[in-house]
Amino acid sequence: MPWIQGYPYYLLMGSILSLYMSLTSYRYRKTAGRRYVWVLMLLIAFIFAATTAEIMSATYTLKLFWRNMQQPPLFLSTIFTYAVIKEYVSRSAQGLSRRLFWFSLPVLLDTLLIFTDSYHHWMRSEVGMVTEAGITGITVQPTPLSMAFIAYDQLFGVYAVYLLTLSVWNAPKYYLRRNILLLTGLIIPVASIFLLPLLKIKITGFTAFVYLPATLAAYFSVFRDPRLSIYPLAKHKIFEKMKDGVVLTDRYDIIIDINAAGMSMLSNITGQGQGRWMGQRIQPLLERQLELRACYDSRTEGQFEIEAPGPDGTCYGVSLSPTEPDLAATGMLIVFSDHSEKKRYERELLHQATVDDLTGLYNRRHFMRMVQNHGKQAQGGMALLLFDIDDFKLINDTFGHLGGDQALVELSHKIRSLFQDIGVAGRVGGEEFAVCFFAEDELAAYQQAENFRTNLGEYVILLDGGHPIRLTVSIGIAYTERSDVTFEDLYREADEAMYRSKATGKNRVTLSSQPVARIALKG
C-alpha cells in the first residue's frame, strides 16, 4: 500500500486543517449556537497531532506517552460534540457550561488513572506495540473499568445523534435538507464505535480520521455554507455599524443574532440591562405589545410603532419579517428604527396646526373641530362662552403690544386653571376667547360664566416693569341641548350676546335669546 507511506503526513494535515477551522471559528465563540465548535475542532487537532507524534516516536516510552496524551481530547471531543449539537438544536442552552463541567469530571479521573496505570493496572490489562502496514503504535487491552469509562463517554455521542435526528425529524422537510450534511458527519464517528471492531482495522490513529467528517460537517454547516446554517450570518461590519437595530430569532423565539443598536433599543423598550440579549428569549419585548405579539406569533410581516418608557419620548418603528415565509416553524427578523425625530416633527406640526403660539390655547380652526366632537358626546346640554377683553386697545396704547401680549397670556392661564377639567378653550380672535363645556341647564352655564368673570376681576396682572392691571371681560353665552346644532349657530348666538354685554356697560354676562337656544330649551 504505497499511500500508507504518507500516513503520518495525512494525520498532520488533518491536525493543521482542524486547527485552522478552530482559529477561524474562535471569533464566534460568544454567538448562540457556535460557542463550543471551536473547542471541538481544537480537540480534534490535538488528537491528530498526538497520533502523529505516537507514530513518529522512536521509543516505546515516547509512544506510550503520546498514546496517553490522546485520551483526554478523545473523551472531551465526544462531550463537546454533544455540547455543539445541544446548543445548535435546543430551545435553551442555559446552564450548559455548568453541565459540561460536571460531565468532564469523569474524564479527569480517567486521565489520572491512565497516567498512573503502570502502578495499579486498573485501566489496562496489557500494553504493547503493534506494527500494521508498516505503521508502529501502541496497542492496549482495556479492563472492565476502562470499558466503563469508554461507554460513559460514547453515550454523549449517541445522545448527540439522537438530539439532532429528533430535531430534524420534527422540523419541516426543509430543515432536513439543510442539515443532512451535519447529521451524516455526526453519525460516522458514532457508528465507528461499533463498526471498527467488526472491520478489524488496527492501523494506529485510524480512529482520529473518523472524527474528521463530523468536524468538517459542523464547520461548514454552522459557519461556512449559509444555505445549510440555521443561524445566517450578516456582514459583520455593516451589521454592527447599522443605526437600525437588527434582531434575529429562531423558531423557538431565542435571539440568535443581534447588533449593538438592537441591544440598546431592546433595553430601552423593555427596561432590561444591555449585553444580556444573545441567547435569551424575545418575550420581554412582546409582553406589553399585544398587536406586535399577535403578528410575531402568527409569523407574518408587520409594521408597528412603540414608545419607550421614560420622559424623553423615544419612539421606535418596528418591522417584523419571517426568515422563511413559507414555513410555520420559522425564525423572525425584527428591525428597529429610531422614529423619535420624526415623531417630534409630527408633534411640532400638529402643535402648529392646532395651538395658538402666543397663548397655548387651541386656535380657532381646531377649537371649532373640538366643539363639534364635544357636542356629539353631550349627555345633557352644552354651553359656548364667548368673551372679549374690555378696553384692550387701551392696554396696547398704554403699555405697548408686548404688554398686551402679556395680558393675553395671563388671561389664557386663568382660563386653563378654571376650565381645563370641564371643557375646551380656544383663542378665536385677537383678544377674543371661547370656552365650550357641558352644563345641566342654561342657569348652570350662566353661573359658571359669572364665576369666571368674578374670579378674573379679582386677578391682578403684573406687567413687565411692575405695572399692575386688572382685566374685565364681556361674556356671551349660547346654550343648547341639541346635538345637531353647528358651531356656527352657537358662535353667532354667543357673539350677539357678547356684544350686548359690551353695549350695556361691559364686564357682564349675557345669555342668548335667539331662536336656536329657545327651541333647544323647549326640546
Side-chain angles (χ1 to χ4, degrees):
M1 295 185 291
W3 65 268
I4 205 68
Q5 296 176 1
Y7 184 69
Y9 300 101
Y10 304 150
L11 291 170
L12 188 60
M13 288 173 60
S15 177
I16 295 172
L17 177 61
S18 300
L19 181 62
Y20 166 77
M21 291 188 293
S22 176
L23 294 176
T24 55
S25 58
Y26 176 75
R27 60 177 176 166
Y28 297 102
R29 65 193 183 280
K30 294 184 180 179
T31 306
R34 304 163 181 160
R35 291 187 177 95
Y36 303 106
V37 177
W38 73 275
V39 180
L40 175 60
M41 294 176 183
L42 186 62
L43 291 170
I44 301 301
F46 189 85
I47 293 171
F48 274 110
T51 304
T52 304
E54 177 190 350
I55 292 173
M56 300 185 71
S57 295
T59 65
Y60 169 81
T61 303
L62 280 176
K63 287 181 180 294
L64 182 61
F65 171 80
W66 286 111
R67 179 57 175 263
N68 292 342
M69 291 295 292
Q70 296 170 37
Q71 303 312 303
L74 274 170
F75 275 77
L76 290 174
S77 62
T78 310
I79 293 176
F80 275 90
T81 298
Y82 152 77
V84 169
I85 299 302
K86 175 67 175 177
E87 194 181 34
Y88 188 77
V89 304
S90 178
R91 298 190 179 196
S92 174
Q94 291 184 351
L96 181 57
S97 58
R98 184 174 61 254
R99 293 198 297 274
L100 289 178
F101 170 78
W102 292 109
F103 292 157
S104 300
L105 290 181
V107 176
L108 176 61
L109 177 60
D110 178 68
T111 302
L112 291 174
L113 291 174
I114 286 175
F115 274 88
T116 59
D117 187 67
S118 59
Y119 300 101
H120 50 69
H121 304 293
W122 291 350
M123 304 298 291
R124 295 163 176 170
S125 59
E126 184 180 340
V127 180
M129 288 200 303
V130 64
T131 299
E132 188 77 21
I135 304 298
T136 302
I138 297 295
T139 179
V140 300
Q141 185 65 37
T143 64
L145 177 60
S146 179
M147 294 296 293
F149 278 109
I150 293 172
Y152 164 81
D153 182 65
Q154 297 302 334
L155 281 175
F156 289 98
V158 174
Y159 188 54
V161 172
Y162 167 76
L163 287 178
L164 184 58
T165 304
L166 185 64
S167 176
V168 174
W169 181 268
N170 291 330
K173 292 183 178 179
Y174 182 74
Y175 285 98
L176 175 61
R177 294 195 302 270
R178 294 202 307 177
N179 294 280
I180 193 68
L181 175 62
L182 180 59
L183 183 60
T184 304
L186 182 60
I187 288 175
I188 291 174
V190 175
S192 68
I193 302 170
F194 309 100
L195 294 179
L196 287 181
L198 298 177
L199 296 175
K200 298 181 179 180
I201 297 176
K202 299 180 180 180
I203 299 177
T204 300
F206 189 80
T207 304
F209 279 108
V210 301
Y211 281 91
L212 192 57
T215 306
L216 291 170
Y219 183 76
F220 282 99
S221 295
V222 180
F223 289 101
R224 285 303 184 191
D225 190 345
R227 295 170 300 172
L228 296 176
S229 175
I230 62 173
Y231 300 103
L233 296 176
K235 297 296 183 181
H236 182 69
K237 291 184 179 179
I238 298 176
F239 184 68
E240 285 303 321
K241 292 183 179 180
M242 286 179 64
K243 292 183 179 179
D244 288 347
V246 180
V247 179
L248 185 65
T249 64
D250 64 9
R251 56 190 174 129
Y252 302 115
D253 304 332
I254 302 296
I255 297 174
I256 58 175
D257 224 339
I258 183 171
N259 65 355
M263 290 184 184
S264 176
M265 293 178 181
L266 264 183
S267 297
N268 288 343
I269 294 172
T270 62
Q272 296 189 9
Q274 297 188 26
R276 298 184 298 175
W277 288 105
M278 185 68 74
Q280 302 299 312
R281 297 181 67 82
I282 196 62
Q283 300 307 320
L285 171 67
L286 308 177
E287 285 176 353
R288 299 182 182 179
Q289 312 296 332
L290 299 182
E291 292 184 3
L292 188 147
R293 178 169 196 150
C295 180
Y296 183 95
D297 290 343
S298 63
R299 296 306 197 257
T300 55
E301 293 187 358
Q303 304 283 338
F304 304 90
E305 282 192 342
I306 297 176
E307 290 192 7
D312 56 353
T314 304
C315 178
Y316 296 110
V318 183
S319 172
L320 297 180
S321 300
T323 55
E324 304 293 343
D326 298 330
L327 297 176
T330 182
M332 292 291 283
L333 176 66
I334 310 172
V335 180
F336 297 90
S337 302
D338 193 338
H339 287 186
S340 301
E341 286 300 323
K342 173 188 170 185
K343 292 306 261 186
R344 278 192 283 270
Y345 182 66
E346 290 177 352
R347 285 193 290 266
E348 181 62 26
L349 289 178
L350 179 63
H351 181 84
Q352 293 176 5
T354 59
V355 176
D356 176 64
D357 287 338
L358 178 63
T359 63
L361 300 177
Y362 292 130
N363 59 28
R364 180 186 180 91
R365 179 178 296 178
H366 191 64
F367 178 75
M368 290 173 58
R369 287 196 292 265
M370 293 292 290
V371 170
Q372 290 297 143
N373 293 333
H374 211 57
K376 294 176 183 178
Q377 303 170 14
Q379 300 282 324
M382 186 176 69
L384 177 67
L385 270 60
L386 190 64
F387 42 91
D388 186 272
I389 300 175
D390 296 330
D391 302 317
F392 185 70
K393 185 177 182 301
L394 180 61
I395 296 175
N396 277 334
D397 292 343
T398 304
F399 301 104
H401 287 286
L402 291 178
D405 287 348
Q406 188 177 353
L408 293 175
V409 171
E410 292 293 334
L411 175 61
S412 68
H413 291 165
K414 194 67 176 175
I415 293 171
R416 273 197 294 269
S417 67
L418 293 176
F419 291 103
Q420 65 181 352
D421 295 330
I422 63 171
V424 293
R427 183 187 180 191
V428 295
E431 65 271 16
E432 199 171 280
F433 296 83
V435 176
C436 181
F437 58 90
F438 298 139
E440 293 182 359
D441 50 34
E442 195 174 41
L443 178 60
Y446 178 87
Q447 290 173 342
Q448 187 68 43
E450 184 64 27
N451 179 60
F452 170 68
R453 186 192 67 81
T454 303
N455 272 274
L456 183 62
E458 299 171 353
Y459 182 51
V460 177
I461 299 174
L462 288 177
L463 301 179
D464 291 341
H467 304 291
I469 63 170
R470 292 178 186 270
L471 296 180
T472 62
V473 292
S474 298
I475 303 176
I477 303 176
Y479 177 82
T480 184
E481 294 180 352
R482 290 168 47 183
S483 60
D484 60 340
V485 176
T486 66
F487 173 82
E488 288 77 9
D489 292 333
L490 286 173
Y491 183 83
R492 184 174 58 254
E493 290 187 20
D495 187 55
E496 292 177 2
M498 181 187 70
Y499 275 100
R500 286 201 304 274
S501 290
K502 282 186 171 293
T504 55
K506 302 178 182 179
N507 191 23
R508 63 183 60 205
V509 179
T510 301
L511 286 167
S512 168
S513 58
Q514 293 300 312
V516 171
R518 290 203 303 272
I519 292 172
L521 290 172
K522 289 179 182 178

